[in-house]
Amino acid sequence: MEMIRRPRRLRATKAIRDLVHENDVRVSDLIYPVFVVEGENIKEEIPSMPGIYHYSLDTFKVHLDEVYGLGVRSIIFFGVPDHKDEVGSGAYAMDGIVQRALRLTKAAYPEMICIADICLCEYTSHGHCGLISGDKILNDPTLELLSRAAVSCAKSGADIVAPSDMMDGRIGHMRHALDTAGCEDTLIMAYSIKYASAYYGPFREAADSAPAFGDRRSYQMDWRNKNEALIEAGLDVEEGADILMVKPALAYLDMVKLISDEFPLPLCTYSVSGEYSMMKAAALNGWINEKAVVMESMTAMKRAGANMIITYYAPDIARWLREDA
Ligand SMILES: [Zn+2]
């Protein structure tokens, strides 16, 4: 008689499933995005991202104590300045809002991994990621300013700088600038594969960074393309990136898999604002089991090949993992 193959044996009990499981999410995989603003006593919820706030530095410190207590050990900072200008000078001011948040965090918790998102769009009056001339986004003159922003953040305590602008040549330019400034130990996490995605909608409200004219399709990637990602990632590796990134995450797991298979560098994926908002909205309506859907989604990102995940759910996941331990 034919023997039946019985894969169900490996699923028979929770203990066996736990013994043979292949992938999981740990709190050390998570990077938590934080929006810091000028002022005092500000903790303002972002309407399209329930549970996510703008923090002034004093209220951020209270939140920082809480997330540190939960075991979160990596934060990526986004600044929302009071003052915006044509050249995004807030991005590279030594007393810029992110620079001060970095110093505060490092003073309180030296072991917290501080990541500075490097771009101009939150700081420019026109909301684009580079300098403009007419309706053109200038590439090479922008590099100088991005590198200045990276050095000022590195000198303020950033362990990792993460350029998100998608200008050509920025990784090499930034590596050289960091090395020249004595910041040769600062890591570069490159937003290598960053698509011009509609999933960023809620972030633009959060960071007040919607472009005043046009869109970002002349620098961010076309989501119809795959091969282009290999070129972008290859250039970033050549130019000295330490960590690569695919953004967004959930609709781009094929790209996470592709980049993780093709390049031996650590890989991050950014589960963006739109992903958070969709899960949160469905959860608040009672339509999904929030914890189950979030954990399944994050594990899928790990299974696709991501080593780390930027997610607004980081504190919640840290809490859930603790509850389940
Ligand atoms: Zn930008």
Side-chain angles (χ1 to χ4, degrees), residues 12 60 88 121 150 171 193-194 216 223 254 267 286 314:
F60 166 64
C121 54
I171 303 301
I193 318 302
K194 181 178 181 180
R216 298 198 168 104
W223 39 257
D254 57 331
L267 180 61

Side-chain angles (χ1 to χ4, degrees), residues 28-31 160 189 243-244 266-270 301-302 305-310:
S28 58
D29 301 327
L30 306 175
I31 300 169
I160 303 176
M189 175 195 276
I243 301 169
L244 302 178
L267 180 61
C268 179
T269 192
Y270 194 146
M301 294 168 206
K302 292 288 302 287
N307 304 101
M308 62 200 95
I309 302 165
I310 302 178

